[in-house]
Amino acid sequence: MIDFRSDTVTQPTEAMRRAMSQAEVGDDYYGDDPSVNRLEALACEMFDFDGALFTTSGTQANLLALMAHCERGDEYICGQEAHNYRFEGGGAAVLGSIQPQPIANLADGTIALDEIVAQIKPDDIHFARTKVVSLENTISGRVLPQAYLAQAQALTFNHKLKIHLDGARVANAAVAQGIQIADITQHFDSVSICLSKGLCAPVGSLLLGDERLIAKARRWRKVLGGGMRQAGILAAAGELALTQQVERLAEDHANARYLAEQLAQFDEFSVDMGLVQTNMVFVNIAEHVDVKQLGRALAEQGILVSAERVTRLVTHNDISQQSIGTLVQALKRYFSRS
Ligand SMILES: *Cc1c(COP(=O)(O)O)cnc(C)c1O
């Protein structure tokens, strides 16, 4: 199968499978798992934080960050398109008693700084207490400008707020700009990153923060049922995600550009090349095309895409230039017949 639906579908590498089979493990509840400890120490170094926590998922890492920053009745400001507002089941509100204050994302994925300021609530019993601003980088494949991050950090500092990064794909953002991950994460009080997307680990994310924040998050992780025992089996793959898979993301980005250029040549598709900044391509499919039928026809040939009017195609470790060629040939055959 050639699977363009997401980078979450990546298979663990051979090196990961080997490392997992040989990983030294212990009971992580006791802090005894050497592989988890090594992964968390490595993450602290790479992201330049004092504390790190291995979590079951990016959703859990984001939730833990908000629950560690906030108390019941507090509020976080985020984008309307933010994953931790739209795509995490309202977890912060459901489980943390934390209210979201979403703000429209601009075309470049940012949220306007003056709009953030306008939404900060005064200290008054009518209002939830604004505590955190949460940004996302990359957001739908777009890279937030470094200057914007610095401005957002200064804003939160001046208003005595915390700033969180949903950095599920922060490694893509770093590679796309030719900078270190820490150059991005330095602007935040906490950061989540997914090891299980473009970085190919089978399971797991990390939350970074100061020691106090991570201690609180560790407590909530246990409460949420996210504590794991011999988790080093998973952390061993996570370590290789950070040491062996980050630079390789440049290939995914080059493949995404190639894919976008190929798709843009079809009359049935329009592609906004400006949005192709990392490993995602968004394709607008013409009204006369039956997208469900197209999706089925491709699936019959072993090619998986999300069959939507605006379709997101994602490049990753299991997509080669040749896979893209196979897709393009299948599309040409399909449109010449219909
Ligand atoms: C995937 C993703 C998450 C959640 O990660 P899971 O491991 O799927 O829970 C959070 N934020 C963003 C931006 C993501 O893309």
Side-chain angles (χ1 to χ4, degrees), residues 57-59 62 83 88 136 166 168-169 194 197:
S57 66
T59 299
N62 280 332
H83 199 282
E88 295 179 9
E136 188 173 315
D166 178 349
R169 295 189 180 85
C194 283
K197 294 189 171 165

Side-chain angles (χ1 to χ4, degrees), residues 4-283:
F4 287 96
R5 291 172 303 170
S6 178
D7 49 8
T8 55
V9 303
T10 43
Q11 293 286 315
T13 64
E14 276 309 312
M16 284 176 178
R17 289 181 184 275
R18 263 199 314 279
M20 292 174 77
S21 72
Q22 292 160 12
E24 245 193 298
V25 296
D27 191 335
D28 187 47
Y29 270 62
Y30 293 103
D32 281 352
D33 190 302
S35 300
V36 170
N37 293 342
R38 234 188 15 246
L39 172 64
E40 291 178 349
L42 170 68
C44 285
E45 197 182 300
M46 275 181 79
F47 291 72
D48 201 14
F49 275 91
D50 291 336
L53 186 68
F54 185 45
T55 66
T56 59
S57 66
T59 299
Q60 188 181 67
N62 280 332
L63 176 60
L64 291 175
L66 291 172
M67 288 179 74
H69 282 304
C70 298
E71 304 297 329
R72 180 179 201 188
D74 289 350
E75 170 185 88
Y76 68 108
I77 293 174
C78 62
Q80 277 286 353
E81 300 170 24
H83 199 282
N84 63 2
Y85 171 59
R86 280 184 81 163
F87 302 112
E88 295 179 9
V94 173
L95 300 165
S97 301
I98 304 159
Q99 161 177 294
Q101 171 59 69
I103 294 176
N105 290 90
L106 304 177
D108 66 358
T110 61
I111 48 179
L113 298 173
D114 54 359
E115 191 55 30
I116 294 176
V117 172
Q119 292 299 341
I120 297 172
K121 311 288 181 292
D123 182 6
D124 175 317
I125 55 167
H126 290 88
F127 300 115
R129 292 171 299 247
T130 310
K131 277 285 169 66
V132 183
V133 172
S134 180
L135 302 179
E136 188 173 315
N137 195 16
T138 60
I139 177 162
S140 295
R142 291 161 298 184
V143 178
L144 300 186
Q146 283 292 104
Y148 171 78
L149 301 187
Q151 289 161 357
Q153 180 186 28
L155 181 164
T156 54
F157 183 82
N158 292 335
H159 288 85
K160 298 191 168 58
L161 305 177
K162 299 295 181 187
I163 183 163
H164 172 71
L165 176 66
D166 178 349
R169 295 189 180 85
V170 68
N172 294 86
V175 167
Q177 298 173 94
I179 59 179
Q180 299 298 308
I181 292 175
D183 295 330
I184 297 174
T185 57
Q186 62 169 334
H187 296 297
F188 295 88
D189 297 302
S190 58
V191 175
S192 64
I193 178 173
C194 283
L195 302 171
S196 61
K197 294 189 171 165
L199 300 183
C200 299
V203 176
S205 284
L206 287 159
L207 176 65
L208 287 300
D210 67 19
E211 281 176 359
R212 222 175 120 252
L213 185 93
I214 294 300
K216 275 180 94 173
R218 195 177 289 282
R219 190 181 172 77
W220 284 125
R221 186 186 66 171
K222 162 73 176 157
V223 172
L224 292 173
M228 296 180 283
R229 300 289 181 180
Q230 284 71 38
I233 298 275
L234 299 171
E239 182 176 341
L240 295 184
L242 291 181
T243 56
Q244 297 190 350
Q245 298 297 316
V246 173
E247 282 160 38
R248 201 207 54 76
L249 295 173
E251 286 171 36
D252 298 346
H253 300 173
N255 280 338
R257 280 215 76 80
Y258 176 68
L259 172 62
E261 285 159 11
Q262 294 293 311
L263 296 179
Q265 300 188 7
F266 285 83
D267 293 336
E268 292 84 357
F269 298 153
S270 71
V271 182
D272 183 344
M273 297 300 279
L275 296 181
V276 189
Q277 299 174 19
T278 53
N279 66 335
M280 292 184 189
V281 178
F282 289 86
V283 182

